[in-house]
Amino acid sequence: MILVLGATGSTGRRVTELLRADGHPVVAASRSGETRFDWSDPGTWLPAVAGASALYLMAPDGTAVDPAFVSVAVEQGVRRIVLLSSSGIETMGDGRLLAAESAVRDSGATWTILRPSWFNQNFDEGFFWPAIMAGEVVIPLGDVRQAFVDADDVAAVAAAALTEDGHAGRTYEVTGPDTLTFGEAVDLIGGEIDRCVRYRGGDEDYIAALGFSEEAIRDAKAFAALRGLGDQPISDVVCEVTGRPPKPFAMYVREAAAAGAWRP
């Protein structure tokens, strides 16, 4: 049995679908899904993990992966953990995900850590969707190029790591096949939907958009550190693990637009 956390989210939903399509028994867990799981309610942990031998581990942005749950999972028989982390977490000082990675490595289970780049789906399922619809995306990354990756590809790598040998002890930087600046990504979306969508990529733009708050200033410093790394390298992880190339951003945009993602 494989326990998938966040099973109604962008990657968890896709991991669940892939595993079930291949005939693997899955417990799809989330706060509002088939099986209830809530990080803030330890009473939901044991019923969700009972009988599972593998675990897709993730927590929503801003929620910590509680090491007590990881211990419970291993005590109940989980022998393989695949953690959804993120790229650049050391540079940005993301203590939440650094602690999650440490908990998994120290768990006693076989582990694989996924460090994906920015999801394509942030633009149609996630936090950039309202900005696209409003006509302006503000993120302080200037003209640094990012290797946007499709959630389908992240899920395919996760499903392979959960069910196949050869992934133990690996940390995978999961990227798309090409790099774009945020401005180029936004322009592709705007061109496809025939709408003007601006990109503002300066620190001052970001801080002003968030009301000059202390949180905005702190976040801008973290993004400045990420910007200082320069263009993000492209990895071959998706091809190596799944045997097929990752989806280009332009293809994602065409498919999402055709499905009505940014329809008024």
Side-chain angles (χ1 to χ4, degrees):
M1 188 79 71
I2 302 173
L3 172 61
V4 176
L5 299 188
T8 57
S10 291
T11 60
R13 182 176 79 251
R14 291 169 167 86
V15 172
T16 298
E17 291 170 354
L18 287 172
L19 292 173
R20 286 179 171 168
D22 285 341
H24 298 285
V26 175
V27 175
S30 66
R31 283 181 296 180
S32 59
E34 299 172 13
T35 297
R36 185 166 179 267
F37 180 91
D38 189 334
W39 283 104
S40 66
D41 183 0
T44 66
W45 297 356
L46 188 58
V49 80
S53 59
L55 166 65
Y56 179 65
L57 178 63
M58 63 81 63
D61 188 33
T63 300
V65 169
D66 195 324
F69 168 73
V70 177
S71 296
V72 167
V74 174
E75 289 168 2
Q76 291 299 309
V78 167
R79 295 293 174 261
R80 181 179 298 197
I81 299 174
V82 175
L83 172 69
L84 180 66
S85 184
S86 183
S87 63
I89 59 175
E90 289 94 352
T91 300
M92 296 191 74
D94 191 330
R96 180 183 74 94
L97 289 177
L98 288 169
E101 291 191 3
S102 179
V104 167
R105 291 191 181 101
D106 295 340
S107 67
T110 297
W111 57 266
T112 306
I113 293 172
L114 308 186
R115 287 185 163 194
S117 182
W118 298 87
F119 292 166
N120 295 344
Q121 281 71 19
N122 287 337
F123 292 98
D124 73 303
E125 298 180 15
F127 48 84
F128 289 134
W129 181 85
I132 293 291
M133 300 304 291
E136 185 173 82
V137 173
V138 183
I139 191 81
L141 284 174
D143 292 328
V144 173
R145 305 181 74 82
Q146 301 296 312
F148 296 97
V149 64
D150 201 83
D152 287 343
D153 294 324
V154 177
V157 173
L162 285 163
T163 59
E164 300 172 1
D165 295 331
H167 307 289
R170 301 289 299 275
T171 298
Y172 288 134
E173 299 283 341
V174 191
T175 76
D178 46 23
T179 60
L180 301 91
T181 67
F182 263 90
E184 290 170 339
V186 167
D187 285 346
L188 278 172
I189 295 172
E192 187 67 32
I193 62 178
D194 194 24
R195 196 182 310 159
C196 179
V197 185
R198 295 178 57 208
Y199 165 61
R200 294 165 58 202
D203 290 343
E204 63 284 356
D205 298 317
Y206 182 79
I207 293 170
L210 272 68
F212 299 95
S213 66
E214 291 184 8
E215 180 181 1
I217 295 170
R218 183 176 63 249
D219 288 350
K221 290 179 180 178
F223 281 117
L226 185 64
R227 196 169 63 236
L229 293 178
D231 296 345
Q232 185 177 19
I234 295 170
S235 82
D236 294 326
V237 165
V238 173
C239 190
E240 291 175 357
V241 173
T242 70
R244 58 169 176 75
K247 182 181 294 185
F249 187 82
M251 181 182 294
Y252 150 75
V253 171
R254 289 193 298 271
E255 293 176 351
W262 301 290
R263 192 171 294 146

